[in-house]
Amino acid sequence: MTAKPRRRLVLASQSPARLGLLRQAGLTPEVIVSGVDEDAVTAPTPAELALALAEAKASVVAAKPEVQGALVIGCDSVLELDGQALGKPADAEEATARWKAMRGRAGTLQTGHCVWDTTAKRYVAGVASTVVRFGEPTDEEIAAYVASGEPLYVAGAFTLDGRSAPFIEGIDGDHGNVIGISLPLVRRLLAELGIGITELWAPAE
């Protein structure tokens, strides 16, 4: 019995962190950025917003002629704090205010995931939620962090695997979800489409 050919995998995200996590898990996705206007997407709750954005990104890329036959993964993350959805801060001033509001508190990182099977013409989607407990960086530490530029490019103005790691006391849930993609959720979504994640692994070298 011959093995099924490995399906092509496309990541509809420009996030290097998401790409890195997928590669560490034995996958070799191509990157095609959706170009979705995130500001134009609205939803009643932060979790629903993350899901709507993930579905929008994956759907736009899945419709492209050059990806037919591929599996497309779209993700989007927002930090839920006081019922508000916080994405990437607009500027350094907003990032500073965000950190001053977050310190000593906990927020929930909501990441929407959408997997499109362009062969079957169907998709499945879900949200992974992880509680993030922030430490209490000083005003000077916040200023130095914002000056590094890192928080301007990430949802919630922080990363678990970057310069803000010392300012995060702990998490409850999937750490990969905070970095950008929940691999357990991706596995479950693929299974809903009848695809085993091990079928997508790159051959061992």
Side-chain angles (χ1 to χ4, degrees):
M1 210 174 110
T2 56
K4 287 191 294 186
R6 189 160 56 99
R7 294 286 299 276
R8 184 178 164 209
L9 189 63
V10 173
L11 176 63
S13 169
Q14 60 189 355
S15 162
R18 288 186 185 119
L19 180 61
L21 284 171
L22 289 167
R23 284 178 172 165
Q24 287 168 27
L27 306 173
T28 53
E30 302 164 47
V31 172
I32 299 178
V33 180
S34 68
V36 165
D37 178 4
E38 297 183 19
D39 294 333
V41 179
T42 59
T45 68
E48 289 171 284
L49 178 62
L51 188 62
L53 284 163
E55 290 176 351
K57 290 178 178 181
S59 297
V60 165
V61 173
K64 293 179 182 291
E66 65 269 28
V67 302
Q68 296 318 297
L71 296 163
V72 178
I73 299 176
C75 296
D76 199 88
S77 300
V78 298
L79 178 71
E80 181 174 350
L81 191 72
D82 297 327
Q84 300 295 308
L86 306 176
K88 300 181 185 76
D91 51 32
E93 188 177 6
E94 187 177 325
T96 301
R98 183 90 54 89
W99 262 99
K100 288 181 177 178
M102 296 189 308
R103 62 182 166 190
R105 302 179 63 204
T108 302
L109 203 287
Q110 309 278 13
T111 303
H113 296 64
C114 179
V115 182
W116 253 100
D117 184 342
T118 62
T119 300
K121 305 296 183 197
R122 61 183 287 250
Y123 73 89
V124 291
V127 178
S129 304
T130 305
V131 174
V132 181
R133 300 190 304 278
F134 297 100
E136 299 198 23
T138 64
D139 287 356
E140 291 76 16
E141 286 172 326
I142 290 172
Y145 179 53
V146 171
S148 77
E150 182 182 89
L152 300 180
Y153 301 100
V154 286
F158 75 95
T159 62
L160 198 57
D161 59 344
R163 292 176 188 245
S164 58
F167 310 140
I168 297 168
E169 293 296 322
I171 65 167
D172 301 313
D174 176 8
H175 79 284
N177 187 53
V178 182
I179 296 170
I181 190 166
S182 170
L183 294 169
L185 178 55
V186 169
R187 175 181 163 271
R188 291 195 297 273
L189 293 174
L190 285 167
E192 284 185 47
L193 294 168
I195 299 159
I197 197 164
T198 59
E199 296 170 29
L200 304 177
W201 282 350
E205 295 190 2

